[in-house]
Amino acid sequence: MTNSIYSKGCAWINGEFMPVSEAAIPIADTGFTHSDLTYDVVSVWNGKFFRLEDHLNRFERGWKRLRMNPPLTRSAMQDIVFDCVAKSGLRESYVELIVTRGIPLDGERDIRKFANCFYAFAIPYVWIAKPEHQLNGINLVVANGAQRIPTTSIDPTVKNFQWGDLVQGLFEAYDRDAFTAVLLDADGNVTEGPGFNIFAYHEGRLITPPDGVLQGITRATVIDLADEIGIPCSIEPLSAAQLRTADEILLTSTAGGVMPVTVIDGQTIGDGDPGKVTMLLREMYWEAHERVQWTSQINYEQPALESIA
Ligand code: PLP
């Protein structure tokens, strides 16, 4: 069913598949005007979704927390993303699902009455840092300017587009000749950065922050893989000072996997090469994309959608 008009990506908008270049959301959708939405991003690697069930669980928790009722069942949404990928023919893909509050009709202001909308698309796989960049390692700063928005204002466990603080952090990184930034919370603890969670490896154990962060699926995978090879991992507050003195630092994201940091705040970490533990976990992470229990094969020939009215 692969069709070349979808080779740059396939989207689902308002009940129709279309090439991603033609896909547009209605301008009045409050997902756009108020960022009132949640979304998820799942990868496809070698023709298989990676941990799709975990991504859908997080997505569902998110829309429920925002008190939304998507117009389709979870299983219909799942069929749609299978078909977006199948139509595109992409073997490595970045697949996004979005539920928005929707469009206010006739001046309606009561957000409980809006018809929530569902959108999805599959595009070629996106890397926060390209593989060749990862081999050199990432130059990271701890942002001094932007602080991560308090969790009482925006719940970071509901994946969201409210990136004002993260974008400020990115510009600070560019101004300081770095590649990206990690943000602190009001207590000076490390949270996360634009599109990634973070781990420090120090004195034989991994540490990753417990809250103020998205519960990343790649983060969960690293915790699982570390456990398999007997590396203890503590989910506990991580100060900026602890991060700066770590033996290794790694970033995790669906868009890039396990990514080594080799410079923090202008200081080289260790001998300046990506850390050994980081690189072992990175290798295991990519190998895990063939594990049956974590993958869902895409059928590029047969549509999944027959069941949707
Ligand atoms: N934190 C933020 C703010 C993100 O946007 C993302 C991914 O987009 C992550 C963490 C990493 O989450 P995951 O590993 O599920 O991709």
Side-chain angles (χ1 to χ4, degrees):
M1 67 183 300
T2 300
N3 184 328
S4 62
I5 63 164
Y6 298 123
S7 61
K8 296 218 158 57
C10 175
W12 166 275
I13 313 262
N14 280 336
E16 278 179 53
F17 290 107
M18 60 189 73
V20 79
S21 57
E22 290 168 23
I25 57 158
I27 191 87
D29 189 320
T30 47
F32 177 64
T33 58
H34 294 172
S35 200
D36 192 353
L37 56 72
T38 187
Y39 78 111
D40 218 287
V41 173
V42 52
S43 66
V44 168
W45 198 256
N46 196 18
K48 297 184 271 297
F49 277 105
F50 186 62
R51 300 192 77 161
L52 178 60
E53 195 64 14
D54 297 310
H55 283 276
L56 291 176
N57 286 341
R58 180 174 71 183
F59 189 39
E60 181 169 358
R61 271 198 308 277
W63 82 60
K64 287 188 168 154
R65 210 162 287 173
L66 296 180
R67 299 164 70 166
M68 290 179 178
N69 287 306
L72 295 169
T73 62
R74 170 171 160 164
S75 112
M77 296 181 200
Q78 175 169 314
D79 285 349
I80 288 167
V81 290
F82 267 93
D83 279 7
C84 283
V85 180
K87 281 179 187 298
S88 73
L90 293 165
R91 303 279 151 171
E92 278 78 39
S93 178
Y94 173 105
V95 182
E96 184 154 335
L97 308 92
I98 310 167
V99 175
T100 66
R101 187 77 58 199
I103 302 164
L105 289 178
D106 303 326
E108 179 62 68
R109 298 297 295 168
D110 185 339
I111 52 176
R112 294 168 299 185
K113 296 187 181 151
F114 290 17
N116 303 159
C117 296
F118 172 72
Y119 306 96
F121 60 88
I123 55 174
Y125 185 80
V126 172
W127 299 91
I128 288 184
K130 294 258 168 11
E132 56 275 20
H133 180 178
Q134 292 185 15
L135 293 179
N136 288 327
I138 288 169
N139 183 333
L140 179 79
V141 294
V142 178
N144 297 321
Q147 195 175 80
R148 191 73 173 116
I149 192 166
T151 57
T152 44
S153 302
I154 304 278
D155 178 352
T157 67
V158 178
K159 200 165 158 63
N160 63 74
F161 285 167
Q162 313 220 22
W163 269 44
D165 49 359
L166 299 171
V167 167
Q168 264 195 69
L170 264 180
F171 275 106
E172 181 180 331
Y174 302 152
D175 291 344
R176 292 169 60 190
D177 294 326
F179 179 72
T180 193
V182 66
L183 271 58
L184 304 179
D185 65 16
D187 298 324
N189 287 317
V190 171
T191 63
E192 60 188 343
F196 58 81
N197 291 113
I198 190 163
F199 289 75
Y201 177 73
H202 194 51
E203 294 177 351
R205 74 185 179 120
L206 286 162
I207 308 171
T208 195
D211 38 42
V213 299
L214 180 72
Q215 306 287 308
I217 306 297
T218 321
R219 170 180 179 269
T221 305
V222 163
I223 294 168
D224 290 342
L225 297 174
D227 185 51
E228 286 177 18
I229 52 172
I231 295 177
C233 180
S234 299
I235 302 174
E236 63 180 45
L238 175 66
S239 69
Q242 270 177 301
L243 186 69
R244 289 192 190 97
T245 52
D247 298 329
E248 298 183 24
I249 298 174
L250 58 114
L251 312 180
T252 61
S253 175
T254 295
V258 176
M259 298 171 280
V261 174
T262 48
V263 178
I264 180 154
D265 285 340
Q267 298 297 313
T268 300
I269 301 168
D271 60 6
D273 287 332
K276 286 197 173 52
V277 171
T278 301
M279 293 312 261
L280 174 60
L281 289 166
R282 179 177 182 266
E283 194 184 321
M284 289 177 76
Y285 175 76
W286 289 109
E287 281 172 8
H289 285 62
E290 296 299 331
R291 292 190 189 183
V292 174
Q293 76 274 24
W294 278 344
T295 54
S296 322
Q297 180 71 49
I298 290 154
N299 185 337
Y300 286 86
E301 303 307 322
Q302 273 263 296
L305 257 188
E306 242 73 292
S307 57
I308 296 185

